[in-house]
Amino acid sequence: MIQGNRAISRSLITSAKTLSYKIADPTLAEMGKNLKEAMKMLEDSQRRTEEENGKKLLSGDIPGPLQGSGQDMVSILQLVQNLMHGDEDEEPQSTRIQNIGEQGHIALLGHSLGAYISTLDKEKLRKLTTRILSDTTLWLCRIFRYENGCAYFHEEEREGLAKICRLAIHSRYEDFVVDGFNVLYNKMPVIYLSAAARPGLGQYLCNQLGLPFPCLCRVPCNTMFGSQHQMDVAFLEKLIKDDIERGKLPLLLVANAGTAAVGHTDKIGRLKELCKQYGIWLHVKGVNLATLALGYVSSSVLAATKCDSMTLTPGPWLGLPAVPAVTLYKHDDPALTLVAGLTSNKPTDKLRALPLWLSLQYLGLDGIVERIKHACQLSQRLQESLKKVNHIKILVEDELSSPVVVFRFFQELPGSDPGLNAIPAPNMAPSAVSQERHSCDALNRWLGEQLKQLVPASGLTVMDLEVEGTCVRFSPLTTAAVLGTRGEDVDQLVACIQSQLPVLTCTLQLREEFKQEVMGAAGLLYVDDPNWPGIGVVRYEHANDDKSSLKSDPEGEKIHAGLLKKLNELESDLTFKMGPEYKSMKSCIYIGMASDDIDVSELVETIAVTAREIEENSRLLENMTEVVRKGIQEAQVQLQKANEERLLEEGVLRQIPVVGSVLNWFSPVQASQKGRTFNLTAGSLESTEHTYVYKVQGSGVTPPQTPSGARTKQRLPGQKPFKRSLRGSDTVSETSSVSHIEDLEKIEHLSGGQDASEANSPERHPGVPTPPEAEQTGALQDRAQRLEDDCPQMRKPRSTDLRFTQPVNSHL
């Protein structure tokens, strides 16, 4: 291995010196200069766009006819920049360019160089492309310990596997070139894929090869022993024997050195022995193949060096943009590789390796190994830190060499086994198990999104696994080189996870209490939405709500919109949102995560009372339209009747223009001012005669009392709504004292108008019954006397005796 590394170093130095001598080419020098200026212009334009966020698109962005005179390079690059960042107001994260660094500029230079090199004469082009392809193949085979291999460079990661399948078909079916698919019909090939393979891989292979879907065989993973993401070798052997008995031909097996989901590695050593026994082509793919460049490699990954082919993706591993993927393979027949498309006689096809050829020389062997080693250290650092955090389950603890860390938040249930990811005991009801699974999935999805926003350099991914549920994946081999992830970012990620755990545990504990409170509240319906990570979802059922319908409800939307506005005005720590119900179009109120102990009963009561008030006010406004319309009609009738009475009272002569004026001058009419006023509160039409006669502003009708609203809770200074009160003797004493003082102030307020109401009291107006308010006031007086006897320190001086009388104005 050491000698191989030295040979690679000497080769890289020699190629670098050759490139330094050739830089004297003026065209090549100008190309590098133009690329540097273009990248600088785009980066400067990006910074200006970020500073001037919200700026409208320039007029040059509007599509139009091709200009006859042409445009300069600056204008064209400005147009490209506007097209790249023009929609940042709508999608601010989708068009942002990563900081690719100097090694990224080298990779981009390779594409420009490829266009320039293709203009050389055929002989020079053939020699140069052959040198580039052979150098890159040699370096990759020695770096990743795949001796005597060939390389195929391709843009699509799955394209190399499709070419390998075509090569395997040509190798196993000698008459395939002549007879074509008739040979396959007589003996159908079988391609074996792991159940943990990337979704859509089998369909892609069948589409590229023209094979029917029965040619695919899905191999299940282990169910009892070993990792649940590793291929079951014993079951695979059984499938191979069954296919042979049915007259099929086992053709190719795709193994994983780091599954797409959790980064687990199949038992490649045993799979290789099985493939050798039955003559099956073994292809290995996965992110863990990058560790072959390190000094220490696990035995399971090291066995991949003995496979028939493997696919590498050095672009994400090394942070190189626009570099191709590489498929390394071993085969002795150049004719078959040419027919399969793995090799080409076109020099331009060989130029695909040029960006990678330049980048490998720029990084050097030490730089390549250091980047891969740094990514593996980040994974180990996060894994060791998460082992010390409660309520976090790591799914790859047994994979010490895996550069992928997958974790999940879980809550231990009574009777559950923490070692099985908090799976409930068998005696629990299936509905409770499903509900707990959905709740944890929603919380993990929320946790992953929060961590992605708080630590964007971590490159986290939220994914759904069939067995474990929703998890968060940290794969620095595919993101660290591009995002520049450091050890400090991992520490920040762990700190953010610890800070979010109280929110998760508190929310999960309050969910069941919220459900019970809502189910016990009148007018509220609990909505079980498995995708909502908050406390819960509630819907208010108004009087006209059709419970059997799933269509949208305009009246309900109006009520819920007003309810959402009222809840947000309370300025609590909870977040409220409105959206359609799960599996329905009806509006609901979604209550977010709880960061502290919440008084759920007060929250539910506030929602119910506020929604009821909004519904009553809405009905009042709807009824008021009809009342006003009828009132206007009645007023028109009464005004017309009053005009007729005035005509009868004044006589016909007074209506004649000249005669009426003379008659009015000799004998003026003392007409009283009569009008009508419409009382919206009482909904009645009243006369305005008393307004002008007695100068009294008011209708004489006592308006009804407004709804009392939700039960107000006594809070301490600075305490936000829906917070539970502190428990303790001091707190209870303070609350009792406040309550006593409020009772005394209420009694004094009721007796404040004693002197003004004595004249109108029931004693001076016999026959008027004692109102209920007086009885309540008497009861309050007795309570106040008892409070004063129990708490002498709370007795307040009074200037007059408390005599409880009720003004008669409200009863006349």
Side-chain angles (χ1 to χ4, degrees), residues 83-153:
L83 294 176
M84 293 169 57
H85 306 285
D87 297 333
E88 285 191 349
D89 293 339
E90 300 177 0
E91 300 179 359
Q93 296 180 356
S94 60
T95 57
R96 182 176 179 84
I97 299 179
Q98 299 290 344
N99 183 17
I100 57 179
E102 190 70 21
Q103 76 278 1
H105 292 176
I106 296 296
L108 297 179
L109 178 62
H111 293 273
S112 301
L113 271 176
Y116 171 65
I117 293 175
S118 63
T119 61
L120 300 177
D121 59 87
K122 293 183 179 180
E123 186 62 24
K124 290 184 178 180
L125 180 60
R126 184 187 62 80
K127 292 182 179 180
L128 181 57
T129 54
T130 302
R131 171 64 184 275
I132 293 173
L133 181 62
S134 60
D135 285 352
T136 311
T137 302
L138 177 62
W139 297 338
L140 291 175
C141 289
R142 289 185 176 179
I143 291 174
F144 296 101
R145 308 187 186 195
Y146 197 77
E147 299 295 336
N148 301 323
C150 302
Y152 172 68
F153 300 89

Side-chain angles (χ1 to χ4, degrees), residues 69 83 129 137 145 152 195-196 266 293 311 331 378 427 445 451 480 484 529 535 540 551 595 697 702 755 759-760 809:
S69 60
L83 294 176
T129 54
T137 302
R145 308 187 186 195
Y152 172 68
D266 292 327
T311 297
H331 201 271
L378 291 177
N427 57 357
R445 194 175 297 110
L451 295 177
D529 191 344
I535 295 179
Y540 176 73
K551 298 181 180 179
S595 58
Q697 300 296 330
T702 303
D755 298 335
N760 299 325
N809 294 341

Side-chain angles (χ1 to χ4, degrees), residues 19-20 22-23 25-39 100-118 132 320-323 351-359 361-362:
L19 184 62
S20 64
K22 290 186 178 182
I23 202 65
D25 188 342
T27 305
L28 187 59
E30 185 68 18
M31 184 184 307
K33 179 181 178 182
N34 291 339
L35 176 64
K36 185 176 181 180
E37 292 179 354
M39 292 301 301
I100 57 179
E102 190 70 21
Q103 76 278 1
H105 292 176
I106 296 296
L108 297 179
L109 178 62
H111 293 273
S112 301
L113 271 176
Y116 171 65
I117 293 175
S118 63
I132 293 173
L320 303 175
V323 297
L351 286 176
R352 295 177 184 174
L354 181 57
L356 191 57
W357 183 72
L358 296 175
S359 301
Q361 293 182 87
Y362 178 81

Side-chain angles (χ1 to χ4, degrees), residues 574-644:
L574 295 174
T575 57
F576 301 93
K577 297 181 180 179
M578 188 181 75
E581 180 184 341
Y582 180 67
K583 295 183 179 180
S584 174
M585 297 301 295
K586 294 186 177 181
S587 300
C588 298
I589 297 297
Y590 290 78
I591 305 172
M593 308 290 289
S595 58
D596 201 352
D597 198 8
I598 300 298
D599 192 343
V600 179
S601 60
E602 181 187 359
L603 171 63
V604 174
E605 182 179 358
T606 302
I607 295 175
V609 174
T610 306
R612 197 175 300 115
E613 289 180 0
I614 295 174
E615 182 184 11
E616 293 174 357
N617 294 336
S618 177
R619 290 183 180 179
L620 179 62
L621 292 176
E622 293 176 358
N623 297 333
M624 188 178 297
T625 304
E626 184 66 20
V627 172
V628 171
R629 187 181 63 83
K630 292 181 179 180
I632 293 175
Q633 294 177 355
E634 183 181 355
Q636 291 176 349
V637 173
Q638 293 187 11
L639 289 176
Q640 184 178 1
K641 183 178 180 181
N643 290 334
E644 294 176 356

